[in-house]
Amino acid sequence: AIIITGLYFLSEKDERHIIDNNAYLLEGDSLNAKKTEKLHYGETVKVIKTPNDGIIKKPWYKVISLRDNVGYVYAENLEITLAFIQINSIFENSTAGNLIPAKYKKALREYYVENRYFKNNVTNWLLFADDLKSFELNYIAFGNYDNNDIEDFACIIKNRKTNETKMVLFFDNNDNFTIKINENIKIRTIEAGREGGRWYLGNVILRTNSQGEKYEAKKHEYLKTDGILLYDSKTKENVVYIYNQEDKNVHYYSQTK
């Protein structure tokens, strides 16, 4: 089908879907440009100009909105129909989709494609989220887990048929790390430094009792980078997970007494 809008001739392949919940149509190809229209998750826009048009590649699409307004949308906030269908199938509730930015929606889709989690563009591996504040336990979390001052993303995904459950960490450089866990887990970010409090990280200190005898005790320390607290609602156990940049691995420490 060919759609004629003003002086533009557009086909269905020129459609893109909004995948971010905080996307706007802008007057120019700059984040500082004036916002002219709020764009909603899932709605389509018609592409006039792609980031590959022209000599200098910019991360912007020039588009026509559903309300026939012309402007620019950041490329990260757009996906083709197939990718949008796959992304949308991951979320078990709308809150999960609302809380996850476009960058990590795309990372989730790529992870699902790599692991062959899609069948006929839908998946049994679902992501649920509670509409809670950042310091409360949830099934998603954001933090600076690799200590480079850029926000990373962690989530719990669960297979609705097998009940197999995994925690996946997505880093800002597109790397990811998967940990198999049990189905009763919730998570939250622990901030580095004094704001995050002290936690047992596998080290001990020597103490002296009232009789003057030396004994080993767990040492509680501030985190040097953001970590993830996992809470098992069945066993009531807390476990701290920390990503180690040097060995590219995740270390965990049970907080049981």
Side-chain angles (χ1 to χ4, degrees):
I2 300 295
I3 301 170
I4 302 176
T5 307
L7 299 177
Y8 303 107
F9 294 81
L10 304 169
S11 65
E12 290 178 353
K13 69 178 182 180
D14 295 307
E15 284 190 347
R16 294 292 188 280
H17 294 263
I18 302 297
I19 62 167
D20 194 83
N21 292 281
N22 195 34
Y24 289 87
L25 189 71
L26 305 178
E27 280 189 349
D29 56 353
S30 167
L31 292 175
N32 295 319
K34 181 181 177 182
K35 298 175 182 177
T36 59
E37 184 181 338
K38 170 70 175 174
L39 301 173
H40 304 284
Y41 176 76
E43 74 174 90
T44 59
V45 294
K46 297 293 182 180
V47 176
I48 301 172
K49 187 176 182 181
T50 73
N52 296 318
D53 294 338
I55 299 174
I56 301 175
K57 184 175 179 179
K58 293 185 176 181
W60 295 92
Y61 281 87
K62 188 174 184 180
V63 304
I64 303 173
S65 74
L66 288 175
R67 290 154 288 279
D68 287 329
N69 295 315
V70 176
Y72 292 84
V73 179
Y74 198 55
E76 187 174 89
N77 295 332
L78 295 173
E79 269 293 6
I80 61 174
T81 298
L82 174 63
F84 170 74
I85 291 171
Q86 291 176 334
I87 288 171
N88 203 43
S89 75
I90 295 171
F91 305 123
E92 191 171 6
N93 65 337
S94 59
T95 301
N98 291 340
L99 294 177
I100 299 171
K103 174 179 180 177
Y104 289 117
K105 285 188 175 84
K106 292 192 174 194
L108 272 164
R109 175 183 174 266
E110 291 172 5
Y111 175 82
Y112 275 52
V113 170
E114 289 172 2
N115 288 278
R116 299 182 178 181
Y117 286 169
F118 291 118
K119 185 175 181 180
N120 298 324
N121 298 322
V122 295
T123 180
N124 287 318
W125 285 95
L126 301 180
L127 194 161
F128 179 87
D130 291 324
D131 190 9
L132 301 175
K133 297 179 181 178
S134 60
F135 58 83
E136 296 180 293
L137 289 162
N138 204 333
Y139 298 97
I140 63 173
F142 299 91
N144 179 22
Y145 305 130
D146 57 1
N147 203 28
N148 67 350
D149 297 325
I150 303 175
E151 188 176 69
D152 306 305
F153 170 59
C155 64
I156 305 295
I157 60 173
K158 183 176 180 179
N159 190 303
R160 61 182 168 188
K161 286 193 173 181
T162 66
N163 286 330
E164 185 180 358
T165 309
K166 298 178 181 180
M167 180 175 73
V168 189
L169 275 66
F170 293 94
F171 301 105
D172 58 272
N173 63 357
N174 294 324
D175 286 342
N176 58 70
F177 195 95
T178 303
I179 304 164
K180 291 185 178 181
I181 55 177
N182 69 56
E183 60 181 296
N184 305 298
I185 292 295
K186 280 190 173 185
I187 60 175
R188 73 171 176 85
T189 293
I190 306 169
E191 293 183 22
R194 298 183 64 88
E195 294 298 322
R198 293 180 182 270
W199 301 89
Y200 172 61
L201 304 179
N203 300 312
V204 297
I205 57 174
L206 286 177
R207 295 188 183 278
T208 305
N209 62 23
S210 57
Q211 286 77 39
E213 298 170 333
K214 299 287 185 180
Y215 67 97
E216 288 186 345
K218 289 183 177 179
K219 182 180 180 181
H220 290 80
E221 309 170 60
Y222 297 121
L223 273 58
K224 295 180 180 179
T225 186
D226 289 353
I228 299 173
L229 177 68
L230 281 79
Y231 174 71
D232 188 326
S233 60
K234 188 174 182 179
T235 65
K236 311 299 181 185
E237 181 185 19
N238 286 314
V239 181
V240 172
Y241 280 75
I242 300 173
Y243 180 74
N244 187 299
Q245 188 68 23
E246 293 182 0
D247 63 12
K248 306 295 182 184
N249 202 359
V250 174
H251 300 259
Y252 63 93
Y253 309 94
S254 175
Q255 303 299 301
T256 54
K257 296 179 180 179

